[in-house]
Amino acid sequence: MKTTLEELQAFVAVVESGSLTAAAERLGQTVSGTSRALARLEKKLDTTLLRRTTRRTELTEEGQGFLQRTRAILASIEEAEEHLAARRQQPAGRLRVNAATPFMLHAVVPLVPAFRRAYPQITLELDTDELNIDLLARRTDVAIRIGPLRDSTLHARPLCTGRVRVLASPAYLEARGKPRSVQDLERHTLLGFTQPESLNRWPLRGAHGDEWPVAPALTASSGETLRQLALQGAGVVCLSDFMTAADRARGDLVQVLARETVDVRQSISAVYYRNTQLAARIACFLDFLQERLG
């Protein structure tokens, strides 16, 4: 049958206004447009809803019953619209966020208490994954991506950049000696990523250029695992500042080959699908992250 909202509104407006002309003015439409909408409704229902004469318009018995239900339908739609408007003013609902474990632990988690105080009606669902996920398949609202973005179907919001440094623990350097040149690293235990391979090209300047491809003796899929290994004195590692700032401040990890290190900063972005108006719960989370991290 596929009765439309326009047809229902035309029917109620004619009844309440008393004429097609008054109904058209109320709806901001032409008289002919309102008349056609009402005619389509009666044809779809195969029922006469209104008896129209040159002087008056009155409901049929079927029209009286249909009017009550139509008013209830329109009231429900109006209530739903008001509910959404209220949510835009005070965002609410479940927000699913995905990020690599290190970024979630060191960048997002410390901000959660303040976000919850600001938006108590938003329920956060935090998910970690070391590889880029399919947002639709995992029903994810926002994902944090580090490095170049490849999926052109996603919208992206730049959040910040993270510098990359070569680090080791004082205990490791005391036992193995501090490297004085990039070539010295060949005599050290290097910690690297299983994938992507680009993370095993360290920003070290030398005869080889501004990148030095390493052959790790020990690899892991997570930067957090590599951080823990470095803290335990297992070797030399190259990690982003966002996960090692506190370690460096305490002296638990120290930078090596600082003069040879190229100032490389990884882009950190929030990505999301947006087909229509961005949901308030997503927009406020993006604004919050950008303000705190930027």
Side-chain angles (χ1 to χ4, degrees), residues 121-132:
Q121 295 185 43
I122 293 180
T123 302
L124 279 176
E125 185 176 301
L126 305 179
D127 179 46
T128 57
D129 205 301
E130 306 315 318
L131 301 177
N132 291 347

Side-chain angles (χ1 to χ4, degrees), residues 162-168 202-204 236-241 244-245 248 254-256 258 261-265:
R163 189 177 180 188
V164 179
R165 303 174 196 259
V166 180
L167 308 161
W202 293 4
L204 295 172
V236 182
V237 72
C238 183
L239 295 174
S240 296
D241 279 359
T244 63
R248 289 182 287 109
V254 297
Q255 185 176 2
V256 299
T261 299
V262 180
D263 187 358
V264 171
R265 298 177 184 269

Side-chain angles (χ1 to χ4, degrees), residues 149-194:
L149 300 176
R150 296 181 178 83
D151 192 341
S152 61
T153 65
L154 296 174
H155 291 266
R157 173 87 69 90
L159 298 177
C160 59
T161 60
R163 189 177 180 188
V164 179
R165 303 174 196 259
V166 180
L167 308 161
S169 71
Y172 174 86
L173 295 175
E174 184 178 351
R176 299 289 300 273
K178 193 170 184 178
R180 303 296 177 184
S181 68
V182 176
Q183 286 68 34
D184 284 353
L185 288 176
E186 295 176 356
R187 301 194 299 271
H188 286 265
T189 302
L190 306 183
L191 311 176
F193 289 84
T194 52

Side-chain angles (χ1 to χ4, degrees), residues 272-291:
Y272 53 96
Y273 280 105
R274 180 181 178 181
N275 296 326
T276 55
Q277 179 68 27
L278 188 62
R281 69 186 190 283
I282 298 176
C284 71
F285 182 74
L286 294 176
D287 291 342
F288 185 90
L289 282 187
Q290 193 170 42
E291 180 182 349

Side-chain angles (χ1 to χ4, degrees), residues 8 39 48 106 110 127 182 195 199 208 210 224 250 262:
L8 297 180
T48 300
H106 297 284
D127 179 46
V182 176
Q195 57 176 310
L199 294 179
H208 50 273
D210 288 345
E224 182 60 23
R250 289 191 300 263
V262 180

Side-chain angles (χ1 to χ4, degrees), residues 128-144:
T128 57
D129 205 301
E130 306 315 318
L131 301 177
N132 291 347
I133 64 164
D134 183 323
L135 272 65
L136 291 178
R138 294 280 287 273
R139 299 176 65 241
T140 297
D141 297 304
V142 179
I144 311 299

